[in-house]
Amino acid sequence: MSIDQKLESWVASANDPTTDFPIQNLPVGVFHVRGSDRLGVGVAIGDKILSLHDASELGILQGWRWRDVPTLAPLMMEGNATAASLRQQIAGILERSNTSAAAHASRILVAQSDVIMRMPTDIRGYTDFYASVNHAFNVGSMLRPENPLLPNYKYIPVGYHGRTSSIVVSGTDIRRPWGQQKGEPEPSVGPSQWVDYEVEVGALVGRDNALGEPVRIEQAEEHIWGFCLLNDWSARDVQAWEGQPLGPFLSKNFSSSISPWVVTMDALEPFRVPMAKRPVGDPSPLPYLTSDRNASRGGIDFTLEVWIRSAAMRARNVEAMRLSRASFSEMYWTFAQMLTHHTMNGCNLQTGDLLGSGTVSGKRREEMGCLLERTRRGAEPFELPGGEKRGFLEDGDEVILRGYAERDGMRRIGLGECRGVLTPAI
């Protein structure tokens, strides 16, 4: 149920063509007003937040009662149809001609600049995939030039289980981690010198599935409630030493950041695209990973950007520099395929589980979604305004992820931002 692309809001900032949050988006999150005990679920509209609790108390919003719901979990459990219905009702509240709702603006709206955003829900499980073939090839070519992609890559959506306790919301500082690194004649222990970011899209699970009952690909998207940005911070020197034979461990579990606003499946319908076309000679997905809908509309046309701003740049009031821009539509595996494969053995996903896409990268240097790729493991550093050079992140560097979907004739739908500043090791 897409919202009319010509619809405008009585919230003036929502009509700005550059906003991430027009009335056609209406992402949901949890906010806390600074200096008060006001905490609740809200919807982003322009540079404001519609408080669902206050709209409900005034009788403007029907159905849900939001007073004791400082999390999206109860709404997510209801599934995508309920979310779509709520979104339509909120659009009616916020559309330009609803002067009665506009009369209550001071009671139901709060400025985004006046709030601290919280985690949208408790993350119960976290699985990070490796779904960008460009990223897999770029990294593989450094490790195995003669055979960048391992044989299983084109048959299964490869992933690993991460740690939920260290997932934080955008704006939380990231502590430089300690770890064990390769050395001669024996490994050393100390702060990681190769701290990196990874720009990803995160999918949040809504409806769960029972233990022992796989989700078929035809129903997979019914279990995906919405999307956010994800920065899977990485300690590459630790990862290089510990990664064999079982894969990432301490190099990945020290912190992952997510953006606070969750964009629902319904809002992204105008930006669905076919699954990326596979190169000639690549195998077709196995039957359990294949459906007509996934082939024709399994992709999402997100653009993802990474920006960096060092402590020295902030001190001189220099704006952030963009490091990369890549298209999510080029992913080798879709989220429907990831979720289907995740559950094929009967694994029970739960409301609030987070599925990460893995680093989103293109083939060109300016499309690479992490420094491991962009700087060739630090061997080819880039230069920041003012002359600073970076192979990997330095203390005080702020990494900013941005994501959006746009198309001619459609209002831009943004994922917002995911920010984090790297602070010194303890």
Side-chain angles (χ1 to χ4, degrees), residues 112-186:
Q112 291 191 34
S113 58
D114 290 339
V115 309
I116 299 169
M117 296 302 297
R118 303 298 191 188
M119 290 287 288
T121 188
D122 291 333
I123 307 295
R124 303 183 68 180
Y126 170 37
T127 305
D128 202 20
F129 287 88
Y130 198 46
S132 168
V133 69
N134 294 320
H135 173 62
F137 183 89
N138 294 338
V139 173
S141 65
M142 289 185 279
L143 304 177
R144 302 174 302 275
E146 72 292 343
N147 187 27
L149 294 179
L150 295 175
N152 64 352
Y153 186 84
K154 295 182 179 181
Y155 287 94
I156 62 174
V158 177
Y160 72 93
H161 293 298
R163 180 125 185 118
T164 61
S165 62
S166 54
I167 298 175
V168 297
V169 74
S170 172
T172 305
D173 288 347
I174 307 301
R175 178 78 66 179
R176 180 182 293 274
W178 279 60
Q180 188 178 129
Q181 300 121 39
K182 183 178 180 180
E184 295 296 341
E186 60 182 24

Side-chain angles (χ1 to χ4, degrees), residues 38-55:
R38 191 177 177 190
L39 173 71
V41 175
V43 167
I45 179 72
D47 61 2
K48 302 291 193 295
I49 298 172
L50 172 68
S51 167
L52 300 192
H53 163 66
D54 292 328

Side-chain angles (χ1 to χ4, degrees), residues 276-328:
K277 187 175 180 179
R278 296 193 166 195
V280 174
D282 277 16
S284 297
L286 295 177
Y288 79 98
L289 293 172
T290 303
S291 75
D292 290 342
R293 176 175 172 79
N294 187 68
S296 64
R297 292 177 61 80
I300 307 173
D301 195 14
F302 284 129
T303 297
L304 300 176
E305 298 179 347
V306 180
W307 297 70
I308 188 170
R309 197 179 190 204
S310 70
M313 291 169 67
R314 293 196 298 277
R316 301 195 312 273
N317 202 29
V318 175
E319 293 298 315
M321 181 181 103
R322 192 179 71 209
L323 290 177
S324 69
R325 175 187 285 164
S327 174
F328 191 71

Side-chain angles (χ1 to χ4, degrees), residues 30 39-41 64-75:
V30 176
L39 173 71
V41 175
W64 281 79
R65 301 290 291 180
W66 297 94
R67 177 182 295 278
D68 298 317
V69 189
T71 173
L72 301 188
L75 178 60

Side-chain angles (χ1 to χ4, degrees), residues 195-224:
V195 177
D196 200 356
Y197 58 81
E198 290 187 348
V199 57
E200 304 188 22
V201 173
L204 287 165
V205 173
R207 284 181 48 211
D208 58 13
N209 64 291
L211 181 64
E213 297 183 6
V215 176
R216 298 187 181 277
I217 193 166
E218 292 83 2
Q219 286 78 48
E221 289 192 358
E222 297 173 15
H223 295 262
I224 299 173

